[in-house]
PDB file of all heavy atoms in Angstrom:
ATOM      1  N   HIS A1261     -30.596  23.814   7.252  1.00 98.00           N
ATOM      2  CA  HIS A1261     -29.892  24.314   8.434  1.00 98.00           C
ATOM      3  C   HIS A1261     -29.633  23.207   9.455  1.00 98.00           C
ATOM      4  O   HIS A1261     -28.615  23.230  10.149  1.00 98.00           O
ATOM      5  CB  HIS A1261     -30.723  25.412   9.115  1.00 98.00           C
ATOM      6  CG  HIS A1261     -30.828  26.681   8.345  1.00 98.00           C
ATOM      7  ND1 HIS A1261     -29.854  27.655   8.353  1.00 98.00           N
ATOM      8  CD2 HIS A1261     -31.810  27.140   7.535  1.00 98.00           C
ATOM      9  CE1 HIS A1261     -30.228  28.661   7.590  1.00 98.00           C
ATOM     10  NE2 HIS A1261     -31.419  28.371   7.074  1.00 98.00           N
ATOM     11  N   TYR A1262     -30.572  22.275   9.570  1.00 98.00           N
ATOM     12  CA  TYR A1262     -30.616  21.398  10.744  1.00 98.00           C
ATOM     13  C   TYR A1262     -29.301  20.658  11.000  1.00 98.00           C
ATOM     14  O   TYR A1262     -28.706  20.768  12.086  1.00 98.00           O
ATOM     15  CB  TYR A1262     -31.763  20.388  10.599  1.00 98.00           C
ATOM     16  CG  TYR A1262     -32.426  20.049  11.912  1.00 98.00           C
ATOM     17  CD1 TYR A1262     -33.773  20.291  12.117  1.00 98.00           C
ATOM     18  CD2 TYR A1262     -31.703  19.490  12.969  1.00 98.00           C
ATOM     19  CE1 TYR A1262     -34.392  19.989  13.326  1.00 98.00           C
ATOM     20  CE2 TYR A1262     -32.308  19.179  14.174  1.00 98.00           C
ATOM     21  CZ  TYR A1262     -33.649  19.440  14.346  1.00 98.00           C
ATOM     22  OH  TYR A1262     -34.250  19.140  15.546  1.00 98.00           O
ATOM     23  N   LEU A1263     -28.842  19.882  10.027  1.00 98.00           N
ATOM     24  CA  LEU A1263     -27.618  19.103  10.247  1.00 98.00           C
ATOM     25  C   LEU A1263     -26.396  20.000  10.402  1.00 98.00           C
ATOM     26  O   LEU A1263     -25.449  19.646  11.116  1.00 98.00           O
ATOM     27  CB  LEU A1263     -27.417  18.113   9.098  1.00 98.00           C
ATOM     28  CG  LEU A1263     -28.419  16.951   9.047  1.00 98.00           C
ATOM     29  CD1 LEU A1263     -28.236  16.135   7.774  1.00 98.00           C
ATOM     30  CD2 LEU A1263     -28.285  16.059  10.276  1.00 98.00           C
ATOM     31  N   GLN A1264     -26.422  21.154   9.771  1.00 98.00           N
ATOM     32  CA  GLN A1264     -25.291  22.085   9.929  1.00 98.00           C
ATOM     33  C   GLN A1264     -25.230  22.643  11.345  1.00 98.00           C
ATOM     34  O   GLN A1264     -24.151  22.821  11.912  1.00 98.00           O
ATOM     35  CB  GLN A1264     -25.406  23.220   8.910  1.00 98.00           C
ATOM     36  CG  GLN A1264     -25.366  22.729   7.466  1.00 98.00           C
ATOM     37  CD  GLN A1264     -25.316  23.878   6.481  1.00 98.00           C
ATOM     38  OE1 GLN A1264     -24.241  24.369   6.138  1.00 98.00           O
ATOM     39  NE2 GLN A1264     -26.481  24.315   6.017  1.00 98.00           N
ATOM     40  N   VAL A1265     -26.397  22.908  11.913  1.00 98.00           N
ATOM     41  CA  VAL A1265     -26.459  23.359  13.307  1.00 98.00           C
ATOM     42  C   VAL A1265     -25.918  22.262  14.230  1.00 98.00           C
ATOM     43  O   VAL A1265     -25.174  22.536  15.184  1.00 98.00           O
ATOM     44  CB  VAL A1265     -27.911  23.726  13.680  1.00 98.00           C
ATOM     45  CG1 VAL A1265     -28.078  23.857  15.188  1.00 98.00           C
ATOM     46  CG2 VAL A1265     -28.322  25.021  12.987  1.00 98.00           C
ATOM     47  N   VAL A1266     -26.279  21.012  13.945  1.00 98.00           N
ATOM     48  CA  VAL A1266     -25.773  19.893  14.742  1.00 98.00           C
ATOM     49  C   VAL A1266     -24.250  19.881  14.731  1.00 98.00           C
ATOM     50  O   VAL A1266     -23.612  19.755  15.792  1.00 98.00           O
ATOM     51  CB  VAL A1266     -26.316  18.553  14.206  1.00 98.00           C
ATOM     52  CG1 VAL A1266     -25.632  17.372  14.897  1.00 98.00           C
ATOM     53  CG2 VAL A1266     -27.831  18.470  14.416  1.00 98.00           C
ATOM     54  N   TRP A1267     -23.652  20.037  13.548  1.00 98.00           N
ATOM     55  CA  TRP A1267     -22.195  19.984  13.466  1.00 98.00           C
ATOM     56  C   TRP A1267     -21.546  21.190  14.132  1.00 98.00           C
ATOM     57  O   TRP A1267     -20.434  21.086  14.679  1.00 98.00           O
ATOM     58  CB  TRP A1267     -21.738  19.860  12.015  1.00 98.00           C
ATOM     59  CG  TRP A1267     -21.971  18.481  11.471  1.00 98.00           C
ATOM     60  CD1 TRP A1267     -22.811  18.108  10.461  1.00 98.00           C
ATOM     61  CD2 TRP A1267     -21.357  17.271  11.940  1.00 98.00           C
ATOM     62  NE1 TRP A1267     -22.768  16.744  10.271  1.00 98.00           N
ATOM     63  CE2 TRP A1267     -21.885  16.209  11.156  1.00 98.00           C
ATOM     64  CE3 TRP A1267     -20.434  16.982  12.923  1.00 98.00           C
ATOM     65  CZ2 TRP A1267     -21.503  14.880  11.358  1.00 98.00           C
ATOM     66  CZ3 TRP A1267     -20.056  15.659  13.128  1.00 98.00           C
ATOM     67  CH2 TRP A1267     -20.582  14.634  12.340  1.00 98.00           C
ATOM     68  N   GLY A1268     -22.224  22.354  14.127  1.00 98.00           N
ATOM     69  CA  GLY A1268     -21.694  23.505  14.852  1.00 98.00           C
ATOM     70  C   GLY A1268     -21.671  23.248  16.351  1.00 98.00           C
ATOM     71  O   GLY A1268     -20.693  23.553  17.044  1.00 98.00           O
ATOM     72  N   SER A1269     -22.753  22.667  16.863  1.00 98.00           N
ATOM     73  CA  SER A1269     -22.812  22.334  18.281  1.00 98.00           C
ATOM     74  C   SER A1269     -21.765  21.281  18.640  1.00 98.00           C
ATOM     75  O   SER A1269     -21.181  21.313  19.728  1.00 98.00           O
ATOM     76  CB  SER A1269     -24.211  21.810  18.626  1.00 98.00           C
ATOM     77  OG  SER A1269     -24.302  21.450  19.984  1.00 98.00           O
ATOM     78  N   GLN A1270     -21.516  20.353  17.688  1.00 97.00           N
ATOM     79  CA  GLN A1270     -20.511  19.317  17.916  1.00 97.00           C
ATOM     80  C   GLN A1270     -19.119  19.898  18.112  1.00 97.00           C
ATOM     81  O   GLN A1270     -18.237  19.236  18.659  1.00 97.00           O
ATOM     82  CB  GLN A1270     -20.493  18.341  16.736  1.00 97.00           C
ATOM     83  CG  GLN A1270     -21.723  17.443  16.623  1.00 97.00           C
ATOM     84  CD  GLN A1270     -21.746  16.348  17.663  1.00 97.00           C
ATOM     85  OE1 GLN A1270     -20.705  15.929  18.143  1.00 97.00           O
ATOM     86  NE2 GLN A1270     -22.924  15.902  18.036  1.00 97.00           N
ATOM     87  N   ARG A1271     -18.901  21.118  17.638  1.00 97.00           N
ATOM     88  CA  ARG A1271     -17.574  21.745  17.787  1.00 97.00           C
ATOM     89  C   ARG A1271     -17.480  22.632  19.022  1.00 97.00           C
ATOM     90  O   ARG A1271     -16.394  23.030  19.424  1.00 97.00           O
ATOM     91  CB  ARG A1271     -17.254  22.582  16.548  1.00 97.00           C
ATOM     92  CG  ARG A1271     -17.231  21.743  15.292  1.00 97.00           C
ATOM     93  CD  ARG A1271     -16.898  22.533  14.053  1.00 97.00           C
ATOM     94  NE  ARG A1271     -17.126  21.685  12.881  1.00 97.00           N
ATOM     95  CZ  ARG A1271     -16.708  21.981  11.675  1.00 97.00           C
ATOM     96  NH1 ARG A1271     -16.057  23.105  11.450  1.00 97.00           N
ATOM     97  NH2 ARG A1271     -16.951  21.163  10.664  1.00 97.00           N
ATOM     98  N   ALA A1272     -18.658  22.962  19.608  1.00 98.00           N
ATOM     99  CA  ALA A1272     -18.674  23.883  20.743  1.00 98.00           C
ATOM    100  C   ALA A1272     -18.865  23.178  22.073  1.00 98.00           C
ATOM    101  O   ALA A1272     -18.872  23.831  23.120  1.00 98.00           O
ATOM    102  CB  ALA A1272     -19.783  24.917  20.543  1.00 98.00           C
ATOM    103  N   GLY A1273     -19.043  21.849  22.024  1.00 97.00           N
ATOM    104  CA  GLY A1273     -19.209  21.112  23.267  1.00 97.00           C
ATOM    105  C   GLY A1273     -20.543  21.342  23.944  1.00 97.00           C
ATOM    106  O   GLY A1273     -20.694  21.069  25.137  1.00 97.00           O
TER     107      GLY A1273
END
Side-chain angles (χ1 to χ4, degrees):
H1261 291 278
Y1262 215 120
L1263 290 173
Q1264 299 187 88
V1265 166
V1266 172
W1267 286 115
S1269 179
Q1270 290 286 333
R1271 300 181 190 193

